[in-house]
Amino acid sequence: MTQKYDAVIIGAGHNGLVCAFYLARAGLKIRMVERRDVVGGAAVTEEFHPGFRNSVASYTVSLLQPKVIADMRLADHGYRVVERPISNFLPQEDGGYLKLGGGLERTQAEFARFSAHDAKILPEYYDSLDVVADVLRDLAMKSPPNIGDGVKSLIDGALQGRKLARLPIERQRDVLDLFTKSARALLDSWFESEAVKAAFGFDAVVGNYASPDTPGSAYVLLHHVFGEVNGKNGAWGHSIGGMGNITRIMAKICRDLGVEISLEAPVSRVLVDGGKVAGVRLESGEEIAADRVIANVGPKLLYERMFDESDLKPEFRRRIKGFKAGSGTFRMNVALSELPKFACLPEPGEHHQSGIIIAPTLDYMDRAFLDAKRDGWSKQPIVEMLIPSTVDDSLAPPGQHVASLFCQQFAPELPDGRDWDLEEGKAADCIIDTVEAHAPGFRASVLGRQILSPKGLERKFGLVCGDIMHGKMSLDQLWSARPVLGHGAYRGPFKGLYMCGAGTHPGGGVTGAPGHNCAKEILSDRGVMGRLFG
């Protein structure tokens, strides 16, 4: 070892870049080491077919924290997000369709085609979600109380719980429902139309290998509604240039602050000396000395593959082994000769710029999960399709398009010892067939495709079991218990070890919150705060 750094960050994904920004701005000397040949982690834009580019894994914007956007001044460097005209478009089994979004009155009018009751009660439902979402937005940018820190953890918990405690009893009941009930139980208590329940229930299974009947799935629904685009709560949008443009901008800002970013530099071991981290050893054999090691990789990857087993206490190893990972996600990008023509709405329109959801009922979603548990994947999988080239002509040749197919309920590990590398083509064909059933001619329009099974997502991006959230978003793995109770405030089990990825609070999605919060804790430990975090 020669030069010593204040911190080395493992992984140049967006949370690592956010963390590096705040630390470098405070004057720390930072080095980032990234396994791949490009920055961005799962938020990257790549050419996957000649002339066709797309966001390879993460594919849409909503959860990126406004404070991070403002502090990094991303807009000054070319960050631009185009909001969807409507949120989602759901073809129905009877040949009809439902559109969600575009404003309250418009959504009510759409719901009225299915149920007058559902249209009438919609404002009340939105109000109940908004109140809880506001609390979560506030908590997302705060470190959870670190259970085990004695009086301090009790005080932190009380302070963060004040906002919840002040809610009217009716809203406190909503909070309890959202954190404990299944998505179906929650939605059944509000709505009567199966199409309307599916429109909201889809968010409960995104990145969640579970049925909408699984207790706790209502929280995952909520996790996806507390974002915003351009100041509009709950909106979703497309980053011009793809998700990779966001992380490219972040990396430039970090480099301008002196952050060193090493690509094709995979870590083999975190080095520990006397109960304190000393740096990392790369697979090349190079050792990098640092006072702090900050992990922007998932907890299972970090602790099961980057530490000598003897370094970790048996109880901690057991807890990490029990940390649940596997989001049931299958990603595919396709190059298209033309826009898909949906049987229920064949002409080009705003629905092509929305999230196109093939999951018409909660029963459909439940069957998809049960089939995946039994067979590995459903013959009628849950598919969300986005066609970003409808708003971003930098992604495809004129007149042609790219589509992101984000598909749910694909087993992290196939039953009967089958290998995803041998089965992924069949699963991809099944996904194409599912879209074809609603948009005849879709299969013939596919010019090329990029396939990422759960195993492929792990191999390409280091997402253990293909988990896009770095770990399940279940009640036992949230807030102070993410990833392990006693290490929920971004600090690992060694002095100088920190975690800044989606395996910490508040969890998955392109938020920047874990990176922001982790940097805040590191600077707090150094006695440096004040104006740096406002």
Side-chain angles (χ1 to χ4, degrees), residues 107 144 155 216 398 485 493 515 523:
T107 303
I155 293 173
L485 205 64
L523 295 179

Side-chain angles (χ1 to χ4, degrees), residues 24-317:
R25 190 176 69 167
L28 275 68
K29 187 171 182 59
I30 307 298
R31 181 162 172 190
M32 305 188 76
V33 288
E34 167 57 45
R35 179 177 63 88
R36 301 189 67 219
D37 62 356
V38 61
V39 299
V44 290
T45 305
E46 297 177 2
E47 183 176 78
F48 66 94
H49 186 73
F52 293 83
R53 302 165 59 243
N54 202 16
S55 302
V56 176
S58 174
Y59 63 100
T60 190
V61 180
S62 176
L63 302 176
L64 187 58
Q65 289 292 323
K67 186 177 188 301
V68 170
I69 295 170
D71 286 351
M72 297 189 77
R73 299 175 62 185
L74 298 182
D76 293 348
H77 295 267
Y79 171 79
R80 181 179 166 225
V81 176
V82 178
E83 184 184 339
R84 298 180 193 174
I86 58 173
S87 301
N88 291 330
F89 162 68
L90 289 85
Q92 294 297 299
E93 293 174 324
D94 63 1
Y97 63 85
L98 181 148
K99 292 181 180 179
L100 178 67
L104 174 60
E105 291 183 1
R106 186 173 175 191
T107 303
Q108 281 184 289
E110 184 76 2
F111 281 12
R113 298 194 298 112
F114 296 84
S115 165
H117 167 273
D118 292 357
K120 183 178 180 181
I121 204 170
L122 181 62
E124 186 179 343
Y125 175 74
Y126 278 159
D127 286 345
S128 73
L129 285 188
D130 285 346
V131 170
V132 183
D134 282 344
V135 174
L136 288 185
R137 289 188 189 99
D138 182 58
L139 291 179
M141 296 295 276
K142 293 179 179 177
S143 298
N146 199 45
I147 306 302
D149 282 354
V151 174
K152 182 181 184 301
S153 66
L154 294 176
I155 293 173
D156 289 344
L159 290 173
Q160 292 192 26
R162 279 189 307 180
K163 200 166 184 179
L164 283 172
R166 290 172 179 170
L167 293 177
I169 187 62
E170 294 82 6
R171 292 298 174 247
Q172 292 187 37
R173 291 169 183 152
D174 290 336
V175 172
L176 181 63
D177 287 348
L178 284 160
F179 275 85
T180 60
K181 285 187 174 181
S182 72
R184 189 193 296 269
L186 175 74
L187 294 168
D188 279 348
S189 71
W190 284 96
F191 303 109
E192 60 185 19
S193 165
E194 294 304 316
V196 169
K197 285 185 276 189
F200 291 122
F202 167 74
D203 280 335
V205 298
V206 172
N208 186 23
Y209 187 51
S211 164
D213 293 331
T214 302
S217 56
Y219 170 75
V220 185
L221 179 156
L222 181 63
H223 181 74
H224 287 88
V225 302
F226 72 83
E228 64 176 75
V229 168
N230 302 328
K232 185 174 180 181
N233 287 347
W236 292 82
H238 168 73
S239 168
I240 297 299
M243 299 299 287
N245 192 47
I246 300 175
T247 48
R248 179 191 63 79
I249 291 169
M250 287 180 170
K252 180 183 183 304
I253 293 168
C254 286
R255 287 187 174 111
D256 288 346
L257 287 171
V259 176
E260 298 177 35
I261 303 177
S262 301
L263 302 178
E264 298 182 284
V267 170
S268 64
R269 279 289 180 271
V270 175
L271 303 176
V272 179
D273 183 13
K276 182 184 185 304
V277 294
V280 298
R281 180 184 301 120
L282 304 183
E283 289 183 5
S284 66
E286 178 186 359
E287 293 190 352
I288 302 171
D291 293 324
R292 299 160 192 83
V293 174
I294 307 167
N296 186 35
V297 296
K300 293 189 80 68
L301 180 59
L302 173 66
Y303 293 113
E304 293 185 347
R305 304 183 192 178
M306 293 185 179
F307 278 89
D308 285 325
E309 188 173 295
S310 59
D311 288 332
L312 300 169
K313 293 181 179 179
E315 162 67 7
F316 186 82
R317 288 203 313 269

Side-chain angles (χ1 to χ4, degrees), residues 458-475:
E458 176 169 345
R459 180 166 50 227
K460 189 175 182 73
F461 298 111
L463 301 172
V464 174
C465 296
D467 197 321
I468 62 172
M469 306 287 190
H470 285 193
K472 287 184 72 67
M473 300 287 290
S474 52
L475 189 58

